[in-house]
Amino acid sequence: MKTAFYIPLGILAIASASCSQQPSVTSPDGSIEVNLLRTDSTLAYSVDVDGKQLILPSMLGFEAEGLTPAADAKLSLKTSSLDEEWTQPWGENKRNRNNYKELALTLTAPNLEMTVRVRAFNDGVAFRYEWNVQGRDSVTVMDELTQFNFADNAKSWSIPADFDSYEKDYRTLPLDEVENANTPFTFLTNTDGIYGSIHEAALYDYPEMTLLQTEHGAKSFRTALAPMPDGVKAVTGAIFTTPWRTIQIGRKATDLINSAMILNLNEPSKIKDTSWIKPQKYVGIWWGMHLGTQTWIMGPQHGATTENAFKYIDFAADNNLQGVLFEGWNEGWENWGGNQHFDYLKAYADFDIDSIARYASKRGIELWAHNETGGNIPEYEAVLDSAFAYYNSLGIHTVKTGYAGGFKHGYYHHSQYGVRHYQKVVETAAKYNIMIDAHEPIKETGIRRTWPNMMTREGAKGMEWNAWSDGNSAEYLCILPFARLLAGPMDYTPGIFDLNYERARNDARRIQWNGPNEHCCIKTTIARQIANWVIIYSPLQMGADLIENYDNHPGFRFFRDFNADCDWSEALQGEIGEYIVVARRAGENFYVGAGTNGEARTLSLPLDFLEKGVTYTATIYADNCDSAVAQDLSIDSRDVTAADTLDIRMLPAGGQAISFMPKK
């Protein structure tokens, strides 16, 4: 029987009689307050920021079989707090502070214990549901009733809700024009100027959450979960904990980027020895397929050949890179778009994987295996252990997965079925010391803290869209850090230097792959392409262009000098959709990336993030503002200290990248 789980009036009367006021919890600095309260016979929550309402009373609860409260249930409240520092093997910041106050409201009946756990941080709030049902093996969730009712209208940035893909253009809309949205759902309130983002943390064994405008008003949203083919949203154990529902909060746009709240809501690492988990820079046989000059399938234009593999391995070894990716190395690509059958253990005849692995080991380069599934999940799961064991035996410790195709039997990518599969891949990979780069993924929700071999994922329109569509605008690139990247690292595959694809256009063998491509190009400057290596965080960072376009190019020095294994990061300046400036430190070296939208822009950058008392050589990779040609790059070096200020001049759609290295 389907039952709506509401907290009855009688239960709330007990709470009111035992408390002088409604249950609430306040952030450690006192600026954010979450209240639990009664609204129309239900349990609801509200959020105040700086004494003003951000979220009006909003419903909590479920429609589910097995979550039926008894009339004589008892309600109890428990408060706690935590202030700790923790470290991770890699990340934007290797040291993080986890500081919150918590309120747990528990309803106890003979057959059910239900807890709503709320945490208030200085940079946001989070809540989740926990249940323990007696006398049942499982709980069938038909719907989740969680709401987000805004007190003020707001400007928002989001992609439309889609249970199969996140590869959508961002929309900049007022709340009342948003019918549905995926998360992170970023907003700026009209009256108080509060920045925020709705998302979720610790997503396991449960469908992803999207937002759907409710019938109660244009500023009111409810959760909409990806369903299974029979309409059921989730079947959980009798003892279960849902993902956290999160609202990150800031007074500046960059506060959202600098928040570690999503990570803090995940458990510590389950992998005891993480020494094999290593960030790296890589190149790969990939871009040529999207340009139409190479193919995944074996034939005259096959990209993943033994000859090309040796060439890419040599390039990586000679340029201070650590890894090489090979797409199209394995048999089965001729079935893509058909029966979606791939062989994850057998290489094409022109790809001698054993000799390639030996040569890579000799040159100190990590090989990457690519596993495209086409959405054929049963086939992939059947061979998962044997494939990963095989890769490990070859010295392969990184696998890029792909799911470009519909799941069989009507399942959505982002349903409970999909979430279970993506997690199975991560945990199986950990058994064989393999890191995962997932494309067409389930969205990041901070599980990389718990499973640090889950390195990076796509989950938005990446570089390949520039090869065969209208591409990604400079404005899109200025929204990405404040929306998609709030969830976690992205394998955007940056760094295209041949902005107009001159090499591809001069290749008589070029084919029209995935649509007309003769007018496609990169809509930024080279300086912005270099800056994206800093701005778009990923511990596995790719130099995505054809390696011939990097040969003898002075701008590639930045990538050779860059270190993907950073220790500290901070977004220094930025406004959503307008501009962004990010700094990162790796060891003693610092790196800055800046980018603008379609407007030319000059920013003043104080260098007070550098170590005091140290003189650095700053190498500046900038737009040539005198020529206003996107292909032109200006490179300059000067000595600076933390007391100095630099002017960052950018062309429309341009950028700037700077490396800071201590003078010896």
Side-chain angles (χ1 to χ4, degrees):
M1 181 181 71
K2 181 177 72 175
T3 305
F5 177 77
Y6 300 121
I7 306 292
L9 278 171
I11 303 300
L12 285 166
I14 296 173
S16 299
S18 61
C19 304
S20 59
Q21 57 186 8
Q22 296 284 4
S24 66
V25 61
T26 304
S27 62
D29 65 3
S31 65
I32 299 173
E33 183 178 40
V34 187
N35 299 287
L36 294 178
L37 40 88
R38 172 174 59 86
T39 301
D40 297 332
S41 304
T42 67
L43 182 66
Y45 76 99
S46 65
V47 180
D48 295 346
V49 179
D50 299 330
K52 299 178 181 179
Q53 290 182 313
L54 176 67
I55 302 295
L56 297 174
S58 301
M59 183 187 301
L60 298 168
F62 292 87
E63 289 183 3
E65 296 177 7
L67 302 183
T68 309
D72 59 348
K74 297 181 180 180
L75 187 146
S76 61
L77 301 173
K78 183 178 179 181
T79 59
S80 60
S81 63
L82 181 68
D83 189 358
E84 65 172 359
E85 282 198 349
W86 58 276
T87 60
Q88 55 186 338
W90 61 267
E92 301 92 325
N93 294 283
K94 288 184 178 172
R95 295 191 64 83
N96 293 280
R97 185 183 181 189
N98 187 15
N99 185 21
Y100 63 79
K101 291 185 178 180
E102 180 180 283
L103 170 68
L105 183 153
T106 300
L107 176 68
T108 304
N111 66 327
L112 169 68
E113 182 175 274
M114 165 70 82
T115 297
V116 177
R117 190 174 304 277
V118 183
R119 289 181 182 172
F121 301 81
N122 294 337
D123 52 356
V125 303
F127 54 90
R128 72 181 183 193
Y129 306 91
E130 304 165 8
W131 57 73
N132 185 343
V133 183
Q134 303 296 317
R136 295 182 66 96
D137 295 326
S138 63
V139 171
T140 301
V141 176
M142 299 303 298
D143 211 354
E144 183 179 330
L145 306 176
T146 305
Q147 292 182 347
F148 301 86
N149 299 328
F150 286 83
D152 186 16
N153 213 333
K155 187 177 183 179
S156 72
W157 295 264
S158 68
I159 58 173
D162 186 320
F163 296 138
D164 271 324
S165 176
Y166 304 115
E167 297 185 35
K168 309 287 182 181
D169 286 319
Y170 276 92
R171 312 160 301 176
T172 303
L173 295 172
L175 289 181
D176 56 7
E177 294 184 20
V178 179
E179 296 182 0
N180 58 68
N182 221 306
T183 69
F185 177 77
T186 302
F187 60 87
L188 169 62
T189 61
N190 290 353
T191 303
D192 299 322
I194 296 297
Y195 291 88
S197 184
I198 297 173
H199 191 43
E200 56 185 320
L203 173 59
Y204 296 97
D205 201 14
Y206 199 75
E208 75 156 9
M209 177 187 79
T210 68
L211 300 178
L212 178 67
Q213 192 178 111
T214 72
E215 66 277 8
H216 301 302
K219 297 182 295 183
S220 175
F221 297 87
R222 54 156 293 182
T223 55
L225 305 177
M228 305 285 257
D230 60 1
V232 170
K233 302 301 172 57
V235 178
T236 76
I239 300 174
F240 189 73
T241 298
T242 71
W244 294 93
R245 280 63 188 96
T246 65
I247 310 174
Q248 289 173 269
I249 296 169
R251 281 74 178 175
K252 303 191 302 293
T254 51
D255 290 342
L256 301 179
I257 299 174
N258 295 329
S259 168
M261 191 180 80
I262 299 297
L263 280 176
N264 284 330
L265 289 163
N266 281 266
E267 295 180 358
S269 176
K270 292 184 180 293
I271 302 175
K272 293 182 179 180
D273 177 13
T274 60
S275 61
W276 54 273
I277 301 175
K278 298 177 181 179
Q280 59 184 268
K281 297 176 293 183
Y282 72 103
V283 288
I285 296 169
W286 172 78
W287 185 233
M289 278 84 93
H290 289 283
L291 290 179
T293 60
Q294 295 176 324
T295 63
W296 284 275
I297 300 171
M298 191 173 72
Q301 292 173 253
H302 192 205
T305 65
T306 303
E307 179 183 358
N308 283 339
F310 276 58
K311 181 171 68 172
Y312 270 72
I313 290 167
D314 285 339
F315 180 86
D318 293 342
N319 286 277
N320 191 33
L321 312 182
Q322 293 80 46
V324 178
L325 162 72
F326 301 100
E327 290 204 11
W329 70 274
N330 60 316
E331 291 189 357
W333 283 92
E334 56 277 2
N335 302 312
W336 194 22
N339 63 14
Q340 304 289 49
H341 168 70
F342 291 86
D343 193 320
Y344 303 101
L345 297 167
K346 188 175 182 181
Y348 277 121
D350 61 350
F351 190 84
D352 186 346
I353 192 168
D354 291 320
S355 64
I356 291 168
R358 287 193 297 269
Y359 188 68
S361 176
K362 177 181 176 181
R363 298 231 57 189
I365 295 300
E366 292 276 341
L367 285 190
W368 286 39
H370 179 234
N371 287 174
E372 175 55 60
T373 69
N376 192 338
I377 303 307
E379 178 180 84
Y380 189 44
E381 290 191 351
V383 75
L384 203 54
D385 273 278
S386 56
F388 285 179
Y390 175 55
Y391 303 152
N392 180 282
S393 72
L394 292 170
I396 294 173
H397 299 293
T398 310
V399 171
K400 175 181 176 180
T401 58
Y403 298 88
F407 284 6
K408 290 184 178 296
H409 310 303
Y411 288 103
Y412 286 119
H413 283 66
H414 308 157
S415 66
Q416 184 184 36
Y417 173 87
V419 172
R420 283 174 171 171
H421 167 73
Y422 289 116
Q423 188 59 31
K424 180 175 183 176
V425 172
V426 173
E427 295 186 24
T428 304
K431 292 194 307 183
Y432 297 99
N433 288 8
I434 286 176
M435 300 177 284
I436 294 296
D437 169 10
H439 281 232
E440 297 82 39
I442 189 63
K443 61 190 174 187
E444 163 70 321
T445 59
I447 70 163
R448 57 192 168 112
R449 180 185 179 187
T450 311
W451 297 96
N453 66 315
M454 181 61 255
M455 305 293 285
T456 189
R457 31 188 126 197
E458 190 184 34
K461 289 177 66 176
M463 181 63 75
E464 68 273 17
W465 283 81
N466 295 297
W468 32 255
S469 77
D470 288 339
N472 299 331
S473 68
E475 181 185 20
Y476 171 86
L477 292 172
C478 289
I479 294 174
L480 213 57
F482 301 97
R484 161 63 184 87
L485 291 175
L486 298 183
M490 180 182 177
D491 188 30
Y492 182 83
T493 56
I496 302 301
F497 282 11
D498 185 2
L499 302 181
N500 293 309
Y501 315 150
E502 295 297 334
R503 188 179 298 275
R505 294 184 202 283
N506 292 328
D507 190 334
R509 303 175 304 165
R510 190 185 191 197
I511 60 175
Q512 298 279 319
W513 189 82
N514 206 22
N517 56 18
E518 63 270 16
H519 300 299
C520 297
C521 65
I522 300 292
K523 295 183 171 64
T524 73
T525 66
I526 284 187
R528 179 59 191 272
Q529 286 295 302
I530 295 171
N532 285 342
W533 281 319
V534 182
I535 295 169
I536 304 176
Y537 175 71
S538 177
L540 305 176
Q541 194 62 282
M542 187 180 197
D545 208 342
L546 306 175
I547 58 174
E548 293 83 358
N549 293 328
Y550 293 140
D551 278 337
N552 302 314
H553 196 298
F556 194 65
R557 175 186 167 189
F558 183 89
F559 197 53
R560 289 198 300 266
D561 292 341
F562 183 65
N563 190 341
D565 189 10
C566 66
D567 299 294
W568 165 89
S569 300
E570 185 175 329
L572 302 175
Q573 301 178 33
E575 287 295 341
I576 306 171
E578 297 180 20
Y579 64 96
I580 178 69
V581 183
V582 175
R584 305 195 193 279
R585 177 178 63 81
E588 296 181 321
N589 299 332
F590 288 81
Y591 308 93
V592 164
T596 183
N597 57 9
E599 298 181 14
R601 198 178 302 272
T602 298
L603 301 173
S604 180
L605 178 65
L607 303 182
D608 51 5
F609 57 88
L610 297 175
E611 291 291 330
K612 292 179 174 56
V614 178
T615 299
Y616 294 85
T617 298
T619 305
I620 303 166
Y621 302 78
D623 296 326
N624 187 338
C625 295
D626 294 328
S627 76
V629 175
Q631 289 278 165
D632 287 353
L633 180 68
S634 171
I635 303 176
D636 181 38
S637 293
R638 66 187 72 173
D639 290 347
V640 299
T641 70
D644 292 322
T645 297
L646 293 178
D647 284 337
I648 297 178
R649 295 179 62 204
M650 297 178 283
L651 290 172
Q656 189 170 126
I658 313 171
S659 64
F660 299 89
M661 299 186 179
K663 293 199 71 170
K664 301 300 183 181

